[in-house]
Amino acid sequence: MSRRPKLDRLRARIREIDRRILELADERVRLAEEVGQWKLENSLPVRDFETEREVLANAERICLEFDLEPTLGREIIRALIGGAVKVQEEIRERRFHGSKRRIGILGGRGKMGAWMARYLYSRGHDVLVHDIAGRLPGFRNTSRLEKVLAECEVLIVAVPLADAKDFYRTVRRAKPGGIIVDLFSLKSPILTEIERARAAGLRVTSLHPLFGPDVYLLSDCILLLASCGDGDADRSVADLFAGTSLEIVTMTVEEHDRAMGLVLGLSHGVNFVFTEALARSGLSAAALRKVATTTYKKQSATASEVARENPRLYYDIQHLNRYSPEVFALFEQSLATFRKAATSRDPRAFTKLVERGRAFFDEER
């Protein structure tokens, strides 16, 4: 028997309040479903960012009325908005009535290949998986590449980048009638093969999902469509994602790798250099964590995630991108500029550097 009856009573009341809160959350989700249905019938998008800002601001005002920390209200409402977006996206996907297509996933045991298989199957398509590493549970599988090439209208290529050239050569010889769609993070290593495939009469386009295989909600996610010059193939593949909240950004395959040199290569590189400097410092991660600032916590959290990724994939992103030398030069020049400004007795150079950074990010507002 508890010796703390008062504490037990207080905790029991808290559990009752928690239950009432979750009952109200359930009621809110049911209302969000009705809102989502109305949006679908009236051709409105799932996300309304202006309304979301108003809802979050209202939560802060209510918190102030009750002398609560405004960030508490924002975090609670942000979670509720996430739940509402999820159910509204599900409504939209259930109502999709596009034509059912036969889609082959080549490399379906990989993380992104498996994501594509699950996503396309959930949209009602007939998915066939081929992977030399084995079967993907829950799907139709075949060990015969020729079967996929012969039967499928769309061939999604999710094999390792190191195998890309051999794959394109095999496919070019087979001359499949389906659209070939790769998911590679870089396009430079396969540009020649893409051109040869097109010259052989094959239909080719290229995708790059800018999200990970664990994503569930597609709102705020971006899919790059790197056009290879076949407009019909581009539109046909983009239609696989019609009716979702996914944002599709189109560029040429040539433009793709220069952009990836910065958003992938440079951002990864900064984190690897940050981690390497820490490892060389002689101080342990535990010791630094005890005195961590807000900026350090944010940076180290990102660097820690990057350090745990597939090293061969991240090596390929740096090594195989023909724009990497340009990015390395920018990095070295910027580090030299920073060092000169930080060691100068005159603070104006450092102020100018900071102001240039602010102006860069202010452009997107």
Side-chain angles (χ1 to χ4, degrees):
M1 185 173 180
S2 174
R3 296 180 181 180
R4 301 175 296 179
K6 183 175 181 180
L7 180 60
D8 291 342
R9 287 196 300 272
L10 291 172
R11 285 176 171 169
R13 287 182 60 191
I14 288 173
R15 286 194 293 271
E16 291 173 6
I17 291 170
D18 288 345
R19 181 177 179 82
R20 293 207 301 271
I21 290 172
L22 293 173
E23 286 174 348
L24 288 171
D26 179 68
E27 183 179 345
R28 191 185 194 279
V29 168
R30 301 287 78 79
L31 289 170
E33 283 186 298
E34 294 185 33
V35 171
Q37 188 66 42
W38 189 90
K39 286 179 179 178
L40 181 63
E41 292 169 357
N42 290 274
S43 301
L44 291 176
V46 169
R47 301 296 294 271
D48 182 341
F49 292 100
E50 184 61 35
T51 298
E52 288 181 18
R53 281 192 290 271
E54 292 174 2
V55 171
L56 291 168
N58 186 54
E60 289 189 343
R61 287 192 293 270
I62 294 172
C63 282
L64 292 173
E65 290 177 16
F66 291 100
D67 200 25
L68 292 170
E69 177 61 41
T71 54
L72 174 64
R74 285 186 68 88
E75 291 307 310
I76 291 172
I77 295 300
R78 197 186 302 277
L80 292 171
I81 289 173
V85 169
K86 179 176 180 291
V87 298
Q88 290 180 14
E89 283 192 359
E90 288 173 345
I91 290 170
R92 198 161 293 242
E93 294 191 5
R94 286 197 302 268
R95 284 286 301 273
F96 176 69
H97 295 298
S99 58
K100 182 177 181 179
R101 303 169 78 179
R102 297 186 305 279
I103 300 178
I105 310 289
L106 307 173
R109 282 285 298 275
K111 291 181 178 180
M112 211 64 222
W115 185 91
M116 280 288 177
R118 292 192 300 271
Y119 166 78
L120 293 166
Y121 180 79
S122 74
R123 303 301 302 271
H125 298 294
D126 183 6
V127 175
L128 178 61
V129 175
H130 168 78
D131 197 314
I132 59 174
R135 298 173 61 83
L136 179 64
F139 291 88
R140 285 202 308 129
N141 289 261
T142 179
S143 60
R144 295 169 50 223
L145 175 60
E146 62 271 20
K147 177 179 175 65
V148 185
L149 298 181
E151 292 185 7
C152 294
E153 303 167 65
V154 179
L155 302 163
I156 294 182
V157 184
V159 301
L161 185 56
D163 299 334
K165 289 184 179 180
D166 288 341
F167 169 80
Y168 267 99
R169 291 175 188 137
T170 299
V171 171
R172 195 167 67 247
R173 289 194 295 268
K175 295 186 177 181
I179 300 171
I180 303 167
V181 192
D182 76 79
L183 303 181
F184 299 127
S185 299
L186 290 176
K187 311 304 180 185
S188 299
I190 59 167
L191 279 178
T192 300
E193 296 304 325
I194 287 175
E195 290 166 0
R196 288 173 177 169
R198 290 206 65 210
L202 303 185
R203 304 178 65 196
V204 182
T205 189
S206 188
L207 296 177
H208 182 185
L210 297 186
F211 52 87
D214 297 327
V215 73
Y216 183 76
L217 293 176
L218 290 177
S219 54
D220 298 333
C221 290
I222 297 173
L223 179 69
L224 287 185
L225 195 160
S227 177
C228 302
D230 186 335
D232 289 339
D234 295 343
R235 286 186 289 273
S236 181
V237 170
D239 191 52
L240 295 173
F241 304 92
T244 72
S245 298
L246 188 70
E247 180 182 357
I248 298 179
V249 176
T250 302
M251 56 177 55
T252 66
V253 284
E254 292 81 6
E255 293 168 334
H256 173 274
D257 278 16
R258 187 168 193 276
M260 290 305 105
L262 296 170
V263 300
L264 283 181
L266 180 60
S267 59
H268 292 171
V270 166
N271 281 289
F272 283 124
V273 171
F274 175 79
T275 302
E276 180 68 10
L278 294 179
R280 289 170 175 265
S281 72
L283 295 174
S284 69
L288 292 171
R289 195 181 305 116
K290 291 178 181 178
V291 293
T293 62
T294 301
T295 302
Y296 175 85
K297 289 177 182 177
K298 291 178 180 178
Q299 182 66 50
S300 61
T302 302
S304 177
E305 290 180 9
V306 170
R308 287 172 170 77
E309 291 292 342
N310 183 334
R312 181 54 195 262
L313 172 63
Y314 277 37
Y315 167 78
D316 286 345
I317 288 172
Q318 301 289 342
H319 182 70
L320 298 177
N321 192 338
R322 65 183 179 183
Y323 291 99
S324 284
E326 178 183 314
V327 174
F328 295 155
L330 283 172
F331 185 87
E332 291 164 0
Q333 293 163 11
S334 300
L335 182 59
T337 299
F338 172 78
R339 181 172 186 169
K340 183 177 180 180
T343 57
S344 172
R345 292 181 178 276
D346 186 346
R348 286 179 293 182
F350 195 89
T351 300
K352 185 177 180 181
L353 184 148
V354 173
E355 289 175 345
R356 187 160 57 244
R358 286 176 183 166
F360 175 81
F361 287 110
D362 284 346
E363 287 180 3
E364 64 179 346
R365 292 184 177 178

